[in-house]
Amino acid sequence: MIDEKLILNKIDKNDFRGLDVSKYDFLDWQSILSQENKNLMFDSKTIFPNSVKKQFQTRLENAKTRGPYIAELHNKGYTGKGITVAIIDHKLRTTHNDIKNNIIHYEEIGKMPAEPEMHGPAVSSILCGKNGILPDAKLVYFATPSGENFSIDNDIKAIYKIIEYNKTLPEENKIKVISISSGLCDGKATTEEKLKETISVCRDNDIFIAFTGIRTFYNIPFVGTDRIIDSDLNDTQNYKECIFFSERKNMVVKDAICVPQDRITLASHTGDNDYFYDTQGGMSWAVPYFAGIYALAKNIDKSMTPKKFYDLALSTGDNVLIRNGKNSFINPVKIVKS
């Protein structure tokens, strides 16, 4: 039984995950559901009042849409079949029905918690889940510790293990991208040197590390976007500056590749059929999206490099203005055609 004070505290933060709030019909639910609410979170286990239950169920389902052109891409047969991708993240719920059939290798490095964590199923569902960028791709996943047990060395160790594992795969199925949404960067100078060396080794093995340091270490401007959630999510005109930027007024964004990030539904660690809705995703949800499109492009054009991909995505994408800067919303259909 969840303590009433805890429930009220979570309600105050607009975090309804796992709660029974069916008796709170007096809350201003339309304000909670509005575009102006930048903190809303709920999941498959949330029990809402009957008066708004259908609205939240619709929101949860609609937000599984990964973004413009993805459905068209899949309809054309580009679903990731024959592609292997890698993820380094936290302890994974490997039995989740959204991703369990994709996993071909799972390994943990370092001191792990007893239970799966939130982050892993979420990023996996974006990259190769049933509604993901590459729903037919195979997944190699290495789990490393989060929080107080986090160490950059564990992430780097996982990268080298992926390089070794890659040697066991047929040439046509080799891993060409590693998606890392959490970890790897800690701002220390010693870390930067380790990363440069590791990225160089990956480059020698024709592997691209997609992570939050893409701009710094690959010189690729890359940002996530917010979206007008109750509109057509397949229309790039309904995407705008991400919520993260609203608190950073001096940030300059130009010549960046844009992908969806905010107001998104993801696989949850709480159950094999559970999903959660996250309003303010952060770059964590943008990285696996970027990684998926790169993996597809690399599968088609073996000579693809991160720089070549950036130039291609910039020239073929839909023009969007963010902070009055000209940027390009990624168009994977045009990338494939090119």
Side-chain angles (χ1 to χ4, degrees):
M1 193 72 175
I2 301 179
D3 184 85
E4 185 73 13
K5 288 184 179 180
L6 176 61
I7 292 177
L8 292 173
N9 183 52
K10 292 190 73 175
I11 288 175
D12 187 58
K13 296 176 181 177
N14 290 314
D15 182 358
F16 300 92
R17 289 175 295 172
L19 299 184
D20 180 350
V21 290
S22 57
K23 68 179 182 179
Y24 295 94
D25 202 22
F26 55 86
L27 293 176
D28 186 355
W29 289 108
Q30 298 314 310
S31 177
I32 291 169
L33 277 163
S34 73
Q35 188 75 23
E36 284 68 39
N37 186 349
K38 296 178 171 57
N39 300 302
L40 174 61
M41 296 183 76
F42 64 97
D43 62 17
S44 304
K45 296 186 183 302
T46 309
I47 303 174
F48 290 103
N50 288 332
S51 58
V52 293
K53 182 187 296 183
K54 187 174 181 180
Q55 286 178 272
F56 279 95
Q57 288 175 340
T58 300
R59 174 71 61 85
L60 191 74
E61 287 303 311
N62 286 351
K64 289 179 180 178
T65 299
R66 289 295 168 244
Y69 308 111
I70 300 302
E72 183 181 352
L73 196 70
H74 294 167
N75 289 337
K76 291 179 180 294
Y78 296 100
T79 60
K81 190 173 183 179
I83 297 175
T84 309
V85 293
I87 290 177
I88 299 173
D89 210 285
H90 306 157
K91 186 179 180 74
L92 182 67
R93 188 181 190 94
T94 57
T95 56
H96 198 290
N97 287 318
D98 201 73
I99 56 172
K100 69 178 184 180
N101 293 329
N102 303 84
I103 302 169
I104 59 171
H105 182 83
Y106 177 77
E107 189 173 331
E108 297 179 350
I109 297 175
K111 187 177 181 180
M112 288 285 118
E115 299 297 328
E117 297 179 272
M118 176 272 288
H119 219 258
V123 294
S124 300
S125 67
I126 294 173
L127 179 49
C128 57
K130 291 180 179 178
N131 296 287
I133 308 304
L134 302 174
D136 288 332
K138 296 304 180 185
L139 173 61
V140 172
Y141 191 108
F142 279 81
T144 57
S146 61
E148 61 181 18
N149 292 316
F150 166 75
S151 168
I152 184 70
D153 293 331
N154 285 323
D155 289 341
I156 291 177
K157 184 178 180 181
I159 290 172
Y160 280 98
K161 277 182 168 284
I162 289 170
I163 291 173
E164 287 305 306
Y165 181 85
N166 216 22
K167 294 175 182 178
T168 69
L169 296 175
E171 190 63 36
E172 64 272 18
N173 303 128
K174 287 193 182 298
I175 297 163
K176 299 299 182 181
V177 64
I178 303 173
S179 180
I180 310 176
S181 289
S182 180
L184 209 59
C185 294
D186 60 12
K188 297 178 182 178
T190 52
T191 296
E192 186 169 326
E193 289 306 310
K194 286 182 181 179
L195 276 177
K196 286 180 179 178
E197 180 181 346
T198 302
I199 289 171
S200 178
V201 172
C202 284
R203 187 178 292 115
D204 291 342
N205 285 273
D206 201 19
I207 295 174
F208 169 50
I209 303 178
F211 70 121
T212 55
I214 290 175
R215 179 189 292 268
T216 302
F217 290 90
Y218 287 94
N219 196 29
I220 295 177
F222 158 61
V223 297
T225 60
D226 188 10
R227 50 193 192 175
I228 304 173
I229 191 59
D230 293 322
S231 62
D232 181 4
L233 298 182
N234 289 306
D235 185 348
T236 56
Q237 296 307 304
N238 291 322
Y239 290 74
K240 58 181 184 176
E241 174 181 305
C242 68
I243 297 171
F244 173 80
F245 284 171
S246 64
E247 302 169 359
R248 292 160 175 77
K249 301 297 183 183
N250 295 324
M251 288 190 71
V252 177
V253 184
K254 63 178 182 177
D255 297 330
I257 304 304
C258 304
V259 303
Q261 168 179 303
D262 296 333
R263 305 182 203 272
I264 188 171
T265 294
L266 307 154
S268 174
H269 65 297
T270 59
D272 289 347
N273 294 300
D274 288 352
Y275 292 84
F276 75 98
Y277 174 85
D278 188 17
T279 295
Q280 188 172 171
M283 289 295 286
S284 284
W285 310 151
V287 166
Y289 192 107
F290 188 94
I293 304 302
Y294 176 84
L296 180 61
K298 181 71 173 178
N299 182 253
I300 295 169
D301 179 2
K302 307 304 180 187
S303 68
M304 186 64 64
T305 64
K307 177 61 168 63
K308 185 176 178 180
F309 178 78
Y310 167 69
D311 292 340
L312 183 60
L314 193 68
S315 63
T316 58
D318 297 357
N319 291 334
V320 289
L321 281 176
I322 296 179
R323 295 284 168 91
N324 294 318
K326 184 180 178 182
N327 299 280
S328 186
F329 199 102
I330 201 163
N331 186 328
V333 174
K334 286 187 177 179
I335 287 176
V336 167
K337 287 180 180 178
S338 296

